[in-house]
Amino acid sequence: MREYAIAAIPADGIGPEVISAGLQALSVLERRMGSFRLRVEEFPWGSDFFKKTGAMMPADGLEKLKKFDAIYFGAVGAPDVPDHITLWGLRLPICQGFDQYANVRPTKILPGVTSPLANVGPGDLDWVIVRENSEGEYAGHGGRAHKGLPEEVATEVAIFTRVGVTRIMRYAFRLAQARPRKLLTVVTKSNAQRFGMVMWDEIAEEVSREFPDVTWDKMLVDAMTMRMVLKPQSLDTIVATNLHADILSDLAAALAGSLGVAPTGNVDPERRFPSMFEPIHGSAFDITGKGIANPIATFWTGAQMLEHLGESEAAARLMAAVERVTASGLLTPDLGGKATTREVTEAVCDAIHSANV
């Protein structure tokens, strides 16, 4: 029996609701497969923890997490705590502390889900966005001077290193190589940002020589938004900077139907540290406690986690169950349905038992 230690951090807003749903489905899947076991330990870190202690997680939080095989993360953010505190106090320290430099965001239109794009359905939009997750625009370098005075100045310094860009580019080319279309699009803004972005372009050209079987092209990020909307079938694997991919992946989720179906893996490809898996929809305090949060992204995130752990068969069974449920029309309000979180979760759990993989 293969065993994996999973750290669950439900955190804020709808995070506890969807992580609870995800753990329920994973527990059913574990029993159905009978070949692996997940030992889950929950950590009550987040905005409520901050209000009690003054910190989003304990000072030894990373040390506590090191022993786990993976982290299952809910959402971070609260209306009464500044966003830069919640983000820099919990999620980013984990991503950067464990060098989870590849943020991997698959996007596709699930059966039964309607895209806002006309004449686009399942199979027409099937992307993976690879986001550089350790530096760039979110490096945290900069500062403010003369605060409160007319001459106040704030700087936000984007940092691009040859090591950082090369490793994410190589990861994206390898991922594209492993996908059927072997197609990669590199996104920058090198016409206006002539230093870091030009280096991105140059390194993409260098790394591409290692992958002669991968077809690749370049897009400026503004033009990329139009291509995603007007020609979704022309895209497959996409790689971009921390900021650009963050924005593009939200657009991708909306084009696929809802943020509620969008998963993320924050991956350390070298497996020196645990990787972290989370839905990208945020804490969504406007629907917290209403029982209508969409758990699909959390299930898909769970499938990513299982794939990372080497449990490909279990991941495939989970996604088959999810697609069976969405195809049946059982959808939460964000997808135009009337189902509750609980109803979708129970339907997926039932489908796990019966889905043929």
Side-chain angles (χ1 to χ4, degrees):
M1 177 76 70
R2 298 179 295 274
E3 286 198 2
Y4 306 99
I6 307 298
I9 308 176
D12 303 333
I14 62 171
E17 299 173 43
V18 294
I19 289 297
S20 175
L23 291 175
Q24 182 180 338
L26 289 172
S27 178
V28 171
L29 183 66
E30 177 187 335
R31 294 195 301 272
R32 177 65 176 81
M33 300 297 295
S35 56
F36 67 92
R37 179 177 300 153
L38 302 178
R39 292 186 289 103
V40 179
E41 183 177 345
E42 289 197 27
F43 294 88
W45 304 339
S47 294
D48 286 343
F49 189 85
F50 173 80
K51 293 169 195 175
K52 295 173 185 175
T53 67
M56 292 291 291
M57 67 175 175
D60 63 346
L62 291 184
E63 197 61 38
K64 290 179 184 294
L65 294 175
K66 270 185 182 178
K67 65 181 182 181
F68 290 90
D69 296 301
I71 302 164
Y72 202 31
F73 191 88
V76 69
D80 53 352
V81 181
D83 287 342
H84 67 278
I85 289 177
T86 57
L87 188 63
W88 282 96
L90 185 58
R91 186 186 173 276
L92 286 182
I94 295 173
C95 289
Q96 295 186 353
F98 289 153
D99 202 18
Q100 297 165 348
Y101 67 83
N103 180 278
V104 185
R105 299 187 168 189
T107 305
K108 65 179 178 179
I109 301 173
L110 298 173
V113 175
T114 302
S115 168
L117 296 176
N119 304 315
V120 172
D124 293 323
L125 192 162
D126 187 354
W127 307 330
V128 178
I129 297 179
V130 177
R131 168 185 172 188
E132 200 292 314
N133 207 35
S134 66
E135 52 180 39
E137 305 89 346
Y138 295 175
H141 281 252
R144 293 172 67 177
H146 313 301
K147 291 182 71 171
L149 298 175
E151 63 270 27
E152 181 174 0
V153 60
T155 60
E156 199 77 49
V157 182
I159 294 179
F160 302 100
T161 66
R162 173 162 286 275
V163 168
V165 178
T166 300
R167 68 183 184 176
I168 197 63
M169 203 65 68
R170 192 168 282 131
Y171 182 92
F173 268 96
R174 284 198 191 106
L175 182 58
Q177 187 180 52
R179 285 169 60 83
R181 295 176 66 186
K182 301 185 187 300
L183 174 65
L184 176 67
T185 299
V186 177
V187 179
T188 66
K189 186 61 180 168
S190 51
N191 59 340
Q193 295 176 290
R194 56 186 178 149
F195 302 116
M197 295 288 89
V198 170
M199 189 173 80
W200 262 72
D201 287 349
E202 292 172 354
I203 291 175
E205 177 71 39
E206 293 168 13
V207 173
S208 72
R209 297 173 196 143
E210 302 172 23
F211 301 88
D213 56 336
V214 174
T215 302
W216 74 286
D217 60 1
K218 295 187 297 184
M219 291 291 294
L220 297 176
V221 66
D222 43 351
M224 184 63 171
T225 60
M226 291 191 294
R227 182 173 170 186
M228 289 168 69
V229 172
L230 299 177
K231 298 179 179 179
Q233 300 92 338
S234 73
L235 295 163
D236 186 78
T237 310
I238 300 159
V239 63
T241 70
N242 216 330
L243 175 62
H244 291 164
D246 191 8
I247 296 168
L248 293 178
S249 57
D250 274 24
L251 172 59
L255 297 179
S258 168
L259 280 176
V261 300
T264 310
N266 300 288
V267 178
D268 166 26
E270 282 73 46
R271 298 175 184 267
R272 299 156 297 170
F273 306 104
S275 294
M276 180 166 69
F277 300 86
E278 59 175 325
I280 75 168
H281 49 54
S283 51
F285 265 83
D286 56 324
I287 60 169
T288 298
K290 296 182 179 179
I292 57 171
N294 192 342
I296 296 298
T298 314
F299 298 147
W300 196 344
T301 292
Q304 276 189 287
M305 181 170 69
L306 290 169
E307 190 78 43
H308 179 75
L309 294 173
E311 299 294 339
S312 299
E313 185 181 349
R317 179 173 288 277
L318 178 53
M319 285 309 296
V322 167
E323 294 189 12
R324 181 172 173 177
V325 171
T326 59
S328 75
L330 189 70
L331 304 171
T332 45
D334 60 304
L335 292 172
K338 296 181 179 179
T340 64
T341 308
R342 180 179 177 181
E343 288 170 339
V344 173
T345 301
E346 290 179 349
V348 168
C349 289
D350 288 342
I352 287 170
H353 281 292
S354 54
N356 293 317
V357 178

